[in-house]
């Protein structure tokens, strides 16, 4: 297999509140021989909130981010569900609406850029599964996670709307379950695995958000999970740091270690706990 | 293609609010043919197993919105959803449930009062003072009609409303279907109630702001109306029409732009402070301390910046379309 090379759009969270996500992404890429070139020029994707305030501005900024993957001639890889969705939504809009593309390009021309639509946008989860391949990954597993029941938590923006997704069915997704199995773990089936963690309304509607978080963790606990694993740093933050509010809201003590999918893969590939950044978790991860 | 059959186990929600204290599930084993839709199965349960089995249906053409139910948690119009695609997706064990168990009256039939109350609350009609004998026609251009066309296709089936996790945990949330309806009239150039209706959308029980952006409504809508996209348009209107007030939610949206203009990236800590205000932010301190100890908080002076930040600043200045 020729070397896989991608332009990595880190998003903001990996650079700030989930440093372990950055560490584990790089560690996994290194172990798998995937080359990631960080898009340091990129701005925030707007996370759907800038979109509420000023949709056009968010299109321009996201188009600019994509331009930097295009100028490298690479597929853009994201490590956050919300970055993925907002970037792909921008691409979808510009590729299907020539008038809007022209309007956005008029702005980008001011800084000497042009959106062309030549780069694909892919979550790292699917780069591993579809491009690298689970069989190739399996062959590299040196520390199978056979001791652990692992509850996959897909995250909304990974699955919905499915026409912008990457092949998982929103009502019965399997990619993360397959990845868990490839790492030697046992995946936990539970009703909330494709539901919402509430992250995006945490400040605006704290009670709603806490109730949703609580239901998710409770579902995974009832499925006997030792850990949860997610491809989204925002879901991670919500589930890892907010379980006390969640417990209060649903009237039941809930808490589980929540790993980024890169951490899980990294551990199975033989990285140390330190290398994948487990020391950065608020809810301790026993390994 | 030839017609094939397959044995399917249906686990069906049964309940009669008049006589039962609790619902139960009853199993029916049925030979399903490859041509059938879910409504055919509902009919066969009634005709072949139990005449008291109850569900709503009328048009059988995906247009009346009466037959919405859930199969293995997936919201479907029973008359439109092919059994074959459900079997492909979920296999041979299928659970049939009403849209919302909380509001079940009899088997698949739910009490949609909350749905209609919220629908009513957004003034789902054209408000316009029309002259009895106008001098000229009120022409709506094609482009203007396009704006509301999609939203006008809503058949009030309730699938988005009863798939919305916020409606599920907060009975006051207006919900995606009523927002679609609000948008349908907000986008209508003949309507005179723009601000009045936007104020409802902004304020009634937190309005659009409590949406968690889960995209369930976009996924489930059988008419491909994409309710969350209409909700985003309503958000945009709140700003362009000057209806948005300085609340946590509004500052949270605006704060993204401030941060991007300054760093390119989002300053997560500053966003929380700006959204909550200097007093409101205090309640986040206990969690913030735990995060800080684990190296999860970047201090203001270490805030990373995008490379070529000048480009971002230029674009923020030249491409902004809303003010707050
Ligand atoms: S995107 Fe918003 S309105 Fe739509 S289902 Fe989710 S929370 Fe409800
Ligand atoms: S928006 Fe779609 S899902 Fe919601 S009530 Fe209308 S037709 Fe049904
Ligand atoms: S029976 Fe009318 S929509 Fe299904």
């Amino acid at each position: 297999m020729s070397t896989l090379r991608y332009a990595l759009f880190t998003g903001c969270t990996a650079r700030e509140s989930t440093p372990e996500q950055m560490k584990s992404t790089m560690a996994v890429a290194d172990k798998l021989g995937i080359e990631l070139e960080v898009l340091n020029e990129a701005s925030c994707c707007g996370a759907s909130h800038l979109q509420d305030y000023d949709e056009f501005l968010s299109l321009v900024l996201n188009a600019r981010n994509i331009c930097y993957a295009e100028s490298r001639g690479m597929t853009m890889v994201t490590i956050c569900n919300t970055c993925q969705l907002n970037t792909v939504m921008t691409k979808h809009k510009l590729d299907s609406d020539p008038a809007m593309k022209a309007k956005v390009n008029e702005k980008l021309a001011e800084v000497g850029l042009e959106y062309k639509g030549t780069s694909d946008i892919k979550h790292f989860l699917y780069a591993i599964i579809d491009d690298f391949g689970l069989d190739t990954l399996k062959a590299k597993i040196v520390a199978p996670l056979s001791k652990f029941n692992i509850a996959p938590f897909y995250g909304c923006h990974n699955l919905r709307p499915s026409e912008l997704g990457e092949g998982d069915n929103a009502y019965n997704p399997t990619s993360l379950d397959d990845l868990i199995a490839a790492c030697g773990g046992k995946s936990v089936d539970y009703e909330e695995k494709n539901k919402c963690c509430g992250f995006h309304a945490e400040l605006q509607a704290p009670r709603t958000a806490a109730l949703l978080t609580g239901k998710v963790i409770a579902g995974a606990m009832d499925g006997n999970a030792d850990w949860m694993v997610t491809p989204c740093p925002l879901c991670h933050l919500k589930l890892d740091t907010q379980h006390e509010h969640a417990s209060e809201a649903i009237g039941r003590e809930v808490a589980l270690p929540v790993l980024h999918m890169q951490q899980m893969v990294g551990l199975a590939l033989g990285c140390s706990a330190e290398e994948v950044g487990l020391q950065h978790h608020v809810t301790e991860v026993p390994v | 293609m030839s017609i094939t059959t397959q044995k399917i186990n249906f686990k069906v929600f049964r309940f009669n609010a008049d006589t039962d204290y609790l619902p139960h599930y009853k199993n029916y084993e049925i030979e399903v043919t490859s041509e059938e839709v879910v409504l055919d199965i509902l009919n066969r349960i009634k005709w072949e197993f139990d005449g008291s089995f109850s569900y709503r249906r009328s048009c059988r053409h995906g247009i009346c919105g009466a037959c919405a139910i859930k199969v293995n948690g997936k919201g479907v119009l029973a008359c439109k959803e092919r059994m074959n695609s459900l079997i492909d997706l979920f296999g041979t064990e299928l659970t049939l449930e009403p849209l919302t168990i909380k509001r079940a009256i009899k088997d698949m039939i739910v009490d949609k009062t909350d749905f209609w109350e919220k629908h009513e609350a957004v003034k789902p009609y054209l408000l316009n003072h029309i002259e009895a004998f106008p001098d000229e026609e009120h022409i709506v251009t094609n482009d203007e009609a396009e704006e509301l066309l999609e939203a006008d296709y809503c058949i009030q089936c309730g699938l988005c409303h009863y798939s919305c996790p916020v409606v599920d945990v907060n009975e006051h949330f207006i919900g995606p279907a009523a927002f679609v309806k609000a948008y349908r009239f907000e986008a209508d150039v003949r309507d005179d109630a723009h601000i009045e209706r936007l104020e409802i959308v902004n304020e009634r029980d937190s309005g659009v702001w409590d949406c968690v952006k889960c995209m369930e409504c976009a996924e489930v809508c059988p008419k491909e109306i994409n309710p969350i996209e209409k909700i985003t348009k309503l958000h945009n209107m709140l700003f362009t029409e000057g209806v948005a007030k300085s609340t946590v939610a509004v500052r949270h949206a605006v704060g993204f732009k401030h941060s991007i203009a300054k760093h390119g990236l989002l300053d997560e800590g500053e966003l929380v402070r700006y959204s909550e205000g200097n007093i409101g932010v205090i309640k986040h301190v206990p969690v913030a301390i735990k995060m800080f100890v684990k190296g999860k908080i970047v201090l203001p002076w270490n805030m990373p910046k995008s490379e070529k930040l000048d480009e971002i600043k230029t674009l923020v200045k030249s491409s902004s379309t809303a003010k707050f």
Side-chain angles (χ1 to χ4, degrees), chain A residues 1-6 32-35 131-132 136:
Chain A
M1 186 166 67
S2 61
T3 308
L4 294 171
R5 299 174 69 227
Y6 302 102
L32 299 182
I34 297 175
E35 281 178 26
D131 298 353
F132 190 80
T136 329

Side-chain angles (χ1 to χ4, degrees), chain A residues 55-117:
Chain A
E55 175 130 57
F56 181 68
L57 176 60
S58 78
L59 286 175
V60 172
L61 292 172
N62 280 314
R64 177 182 168 276
N65 291 346
I66 302 170
C67 284
Y68 280 103
E70 291 183 353
S71 66
R72 288 169 167 88
M74 289 176 169
T75 292
M76 178 195 271
V77 143
T78 62
I79 49 175
C80 167
N81 289 1
T82 296
C83 291
Q84 172 68 25
L85 180 62
N86 284 295
T87 311
V88 117
M89 264 164 105
T90 300
K91 180 174 171 60
H92 182 75
K93 230 168 250 172
L94 301 189
D95 292 351
S96 60
D97 182 348
M100 182 56 87
K101 181 171 159 185
K103 241 176 105 181
V104 165
N105 270 333
E106 204 178 291
K107 298 295 174 192
L108 290 174
E110 293 171 17
V111 295
L113 295 171
E114 185 193 353
Y115 171 86
K116 299 194 187 76

Side-chain angles (χ1 to χ4, degrees), chain A residues 16 52 54 157 162 244 280, chain B residues 213 219 236 266 294 321:
Chain A
E16 297 176 58
D52 285 346
D54 193 332
H157 296 169
S162 54
E244 284 178 15
H280 293 294
Chain B
K213 322 256 187 182
E219 188 66 29
N236 288 174
L266 176 71
K294 299 292 187 170
T321 60

Side-chain angles (χ1 to χ4, degrees), chain A residues 10-20 40-57 60-61 64 68 85 89 93 107-108 110-111 113 156-157 159-163 169-172 194-196 198-209 211-212 215 234 236-237 240-245 260 278-284, chain B residues 72-75 89-90 163 165-166 168-170 206 209-221 226 229 231-233 235-237 239 248-250 252-257 260 264-269 271-272 275-276 283-284 287 290-291 293-298 303-312 314-324:
Chain A
T10 67
C12 307
T13 309
R15 308 273 299 271
E16 297 176 58
S17 51
T18 57
E20 72 281 2
N40 285 316
E41 304 91 340
S43 70
C44 170
C45 73
S48 80
H49 303 290
L50 176 67
Q51 283 74 354
D52 285 346
Y53 178 35
D54 193 332
E55 175 130 57
F56 181 68
L57 176 60
V60 172
L61 292 172
R64 177 182 168 276
Y68 280 103
L85 180 62
M89 264 164 105
K93 230 168 250 172
K107 298 295 174 192
L108 290 174
E110 293 171 17
V111 295
L113 295 171
C156 298
H157 296 169
L159 299 175
R160 290 178 290 267
S162 54
E163 80 243 31
N169 188 290
Y171 296 102
N172 194 13
N194 57 352
K195 298 287 181 326
C196 180
F199 177 87
H200 285 280
E202 184 173 320
L203 300 183
Q204 303 89 315
R207 193 177 145 72
T208 292
L211 283 166
L212 298 181
K215 290 213 289 184
L234 308 182
H236 166 89
L237 275 179
D240 175 54
T241 72
Q242 298 288 327
H243 56 85
E244 284 178 15
H245 294 149
H260 301 277
L278 293 186
Q279 66 277 17
H280 293 294
H281 289 228
V282 167
T283 308
E284 306 271 339
Chain B
N72 287 24
K74 179 186 195 293
L89 181 56
F90 295 119
S163 298
V166 181
D168 188 41
V169 298
N170 170 10
S206 311
W209 300 103
D210 280 13
C211 163
V212 292
K213 322 256 187 182
C214 68
M215 309 276 153
E216 290 273 6
C217 52
E219 188 66 29
V220 78
C221 175
N226 201 347
E229 184 202 49
I231 293 171
T232 304
K233 288 186 175 177
H235 275 111
N236 288 174
M237 285 177 180
F239 288 106
V248 173
V250 168
H252 182 259
V254 175
F256 272 77
K257 179 169 150 184
I260 291 169
L265 301 174
L266 176 71
D267 182 340
E268 296 172 330
L271 179 73
V272 177
S275 309
E276 294 279 14
K283 63 175 170 288
H284 297 288
V287 172
K290 283 189 198 163
M291 290 174 66
V293 172
K294 299 292 187 170
K296 279 175 146 349
I297 303 259
V298 171
M303 181 58 206
K305 285 189 193 316
S306 304
E307 279 174 13
K308 308 202 181 178
L309 184 56
D310 51 328
E311 288 180 9
I312 296 169
T314 304
L315 291 174
V316 169
K317 210 171 267 163
S318 74
S319 310
S320 290
T321 60
K323 265 207 199 86
F324 181 70

